[in-house]
Amino acid sequence: TFVTSSVMNVTTQTASYMQLGKWKASGQPAFFAYLGTTVANATGDGTAFVLGTTTALTEVTDQGGDFNTNGTFTAPVTGLYRFSCYFGLGVLGVTTGVLGILRTTGGDYYFNATAGAALANPVTASLNFGGSTLIPMTTGQTATAVVAAYGTTKTVSVLSGGANPFVSYFSGQLEA
């Protein structure tokens, strides 16, 4: 005699958030480039100077090939991108304001403006500043790093520290 039986278990599952953690993809867009040569008299009269326009930037890395040494990054996919830029400025004259801009075809993101009294000694004055932000971009949109100084003639130079230390640079990566 054979006895057979079957048991059925029922389990109710509830959906919950699961943290997937960080991941790395070899084709994920990322770049870092720096100004290898000082650009004299780039701004000062309010002229917007785009890092890489008059002197090509030196690429340290360009994962995915989406960055041009003229300072332009083109988003290969829609997503959230983190951009950072840093500017070293010299011979400021009587500059009354300096503005950094992460400029995209979707809009401008301003940071680190100084305003008010003239900055220190016009012969030896320097100002170093930078910014970083997360920017939503769609495929094909571009991003550049821009600096503009105000209140003087075009006597503000964008400085280079060469390969190390990096004084004026632009970087970015796909975050999500």
Side-chain angles (χ1 to χ4, degrees):
T1 340
F2 293 97
V3 177
T4 60
S5 69
S6 64
V7 177
M8 182 178 282
N9 290 327
V10 177
T11 303
T12 304
Q13 295 182 346
T14 329
S16 65
Y17 172 78
M18 182 172 85
Q19 186 167 349
L20 299 175
K22 300 281 182 184
W23 55 274
K24 177 182 173 186
S26 60
Q28 188 167 332
F31 71 93
F32 179 88
Y34 67 93
L35 185 62
T37 305
T38 295
V39 178
N41 305 324
T43 185
D45 59 356
T47 300
F49 174 76
V50 179
L51 198 59
T53 54
T54 59
T55 301
L57 298 177
T58 302
E59 286 182 353
V60 174
T61 187
D62 182 11
Q63 191 169 287
D66 306 302
F67 181 76
N68 187 309
T69 58
N70 71 0
T72 304
F73 170 79
T74 304
V77 295
T78 297
L80 292 173
Y81 289 82
R82 164 116 11 233
F83 292 104
S84 300
C85 58
Y86 196 81
F87 299 100
L89 305 178
V91 190
L92 298 177
V94 291
T95 304
T96 56
V98 180
L99 182 62
I101 307 164
L102 282 165
R103 176 163 287 159
T104 72
T105 47
D108 288 349
Y109 300 81
Y110 295 88
F111 63 93
N112 212 2
T114 59
L119 297 173
N121 184 337
V123 176
T124 60
S126 66
L127 174 68
N128 299 312
F129 71 101
S132 177
T133 191
L134 192 62
I135 299 174
M137 296 182 74
T138 58
T139 303
Q141 286 188 320
T142 60
T144 56
V146 180
V147 64
Y150 301 86
T152 186
T153 58
K154 204 169 178 182
T155 57
V156 177
S157 299
V158 179
L159 304 177
S160 164
N164 192 2
F166 300 109
V167 175
S168 297
Y169 60 83
F170 183 35
S171 66
Q173 67 201 37
L174 177 63
E175 291 271 326

